[in-house]
Structure formats: C-alpha cells, structure tokens
Amino acid sequence: SRTENEGTAVEAGSKATERFAASGKLSRVDVSKERVSLLAGALIKAANDIVVEHQVTYEEYNALKAWLIKVGTDGEWPLFLDVWLEHTIEDVNSQDRPGTVGTIEGPYYVPGSPELQTPATVEMRDDEEGTPLRFTGQFTDTDGNPIQGAQVEIWHADAAGFYSQYAPGMPEWLFRATVKASDDGRFEINTMRPAPYQIPTDGACGQLINAAGWHAWRPAHIHIKVSAPGYEPVTQQLYFPGDPHNADDIASAVKPELMLDPRPRTDGKGEEVVYDYVLAKQ
Ligand code: MBD
Ligand code: FE
C-alpha cells in the first residue's frame, strides 16, 4: 500500500526529466535530416493510420491531446518511453552482440555512485528491512579468459519498492554502488533483495493504466551496468523466479537469461546468487 513516504509521480517524474536533461543526452542529439524525415514521417503515418483504422472521434483526439500535455507537465516522458518503447530499442540494438544478455536501463539510473572494492556492501540504513542478498560472479571474455579492470554498477529499489533519489526521505546513495572487481574478474556485492515495483499511479502514466484497465507492476529486479576497458558495456536487470509479474512486466524487459537462482546461505544470513558476465571485445 502507498504511504506518504513515497512521494508523488510529479516528484519522481520531474527528477527523471531533469536528470535526463543534465546527462547531456539532450545536447548531443545528432541525427541526420534524412533519418529525422524518415523516422518522424513513419511515426506520423502510423498515427494517422490508427485514426483511420479505428475511426478515432474528436472526443478521443482531445483526450489524447490532454493526456500528452499531462505526460510533459508530470515529467513522465522518461517513464513513458522507458516502460513502453525502450525494450524494442534495446532488442534492435543488441541483436548481434555476443556475450551476456542486456535489457532496458529504465528511468532511475544515476551515474557516479560511490566506488567500492570487492567484496563490497552497498549503502543501507540501520535496521534495513528485507532479505540480505549476496551476489557474486566473474567476468570473462568470449574465450573464457578472466577480464581485468571490470566494474559492476548496481542500483535497485528497497524492500518497500522505492528508489533513492526518486522518492523522498531516502539516503542519496541507498542501494546504489560502483563495485570494482578483482584482477581475476571476480566480484562480491552484499545488498538486500528488492521488492516488486509499481510505477507511480498518480501521474499521467498511471492515468493511462487505469483508463485502459492495465496493471502498473514490474517484477522485483536489480539494475546492473557492467563495463571493462576494451569491452562492450552491458546494461541489464536480474530477476527472481516465482515473481507474479515475471510473465507480464509492464516494461516488457524480462528475458529467461536474466533469471537468478537464489539459494539460502549456509550461514543462515539470507540468500546468495551467482551471475557471471561474458563481455565482447570492442
Ligand atoms: C523502473 O524501476 C524501471 O526499472 C523501469 C524500466 C520503469 C520504471 C521504473
Ligand atoms: Fe527499476
């Protein structure tokens, strides 16, 4: 259930919009006139075709106009695009890459998280709730040789389903870290199992979900960005078997290769998972 701690869609959305603008991705736009004309033309044609095919009324057209305006004022363009479009962008752009499978980044990545040496424990509060999770693995190249200089950036929600820097009252780098692997490519990260995530229900995206009778859930997931000098980076998420939303993720970002296999720890202190990374040379 929702609490006042979680903040509003406008807070989370505006943060995501601000961060996207600040990341420089807005000023580095460099798409040729030919591609803009082709892609914008195709998008406009697809929208016009829908109007004809489904005999869209003026009432529906005005509802669309009002809703598109609200997506902007709620700051939810990053959320909308990453939930309903990024999965296809990711598929198209990772088709020929060997090695570990990727998936979407989503709207809540923050670069520059605290650097920790393996074995690492991510930032948590005193008495942090949840199931402790030990996550280990090794980096190799596509020939099976260990990779030097690799790092794992990790970010995920807490046991109540909230992300630091996008919900009020959370420590800035809670459940966010950059973990440096050892020289033989091994890493150990101690964190807490995240909860399933419900996208904000009080903004434009939530309004659409309600109006259409859909659900707002993503299965529990851990976001990962791995990189090493000379290798192609991979952005992915890892999931837990048995989550009711693995099969109907609102963001369509679950793949079988991204499923973890949590085991109880022998010391009784929570669970452990192993996930190895195979990176392709640049
Ligand atoms: C998330 O945490 C997320 O991972 C995605 C893809 C969209 C919204 C919230
Ligand atoms: Fe997420």
Side-chain angles (χ1 to χ4, degrees), residues 16-73:
T17 298
E18 246 170 63
R19 283 194 181 284
F20 182 81
S23 72
K25 285 177 182 153
L26 274 179
S27 52
R28 273 190 266 111
V29 174
D30 183 20
V31 184
S32 72
K33 186 185 279 183
E34 288 70 25
R35 287 287 285 180
V36 172
S37 178
L38 176 73
L39 300 177
L43 181 65
I44 291 166
K45 182 178 185 308
N48 281 272
D49 288 349
I50 291 168
V51 172
V52 174
E53 184 185 350
H54 298 287
Q55 295 289 291
V56 173
T57 66
Y58 253 102
E59 206 171 4
E60 290 164 340
Y61 173 63
N62 285 328
L64 172 67
K65 212 188 256 188
W67 182 79
L68 289 171
I69 290 166
K70 186 170 162 58
V71 176
T73 54

Side-chain angles (χ1 to χ4, degrees), residues 78-84 86 104-109 155-157 161 163 197-200 216 218-219 221-223 237 239 249-253:
L79 181 66
F80 172 78
L81 290 166
D82 294 351
V83 165
W84 282 298
E86 191 188 357
I104 66 173
E105 178 175 309
Y108 299 151
Y109 170 65
W155 72 103
H156 62 78
Y163 282 87
Y197 178 83
Q198 189 180 33
I199 72 161
R218 297 214 61 223
H221 58 280
I222 296 177
H223 291 271
Q237 302 176 32
Y239 302 93
D249 177 12
I250 189 179
S252 310

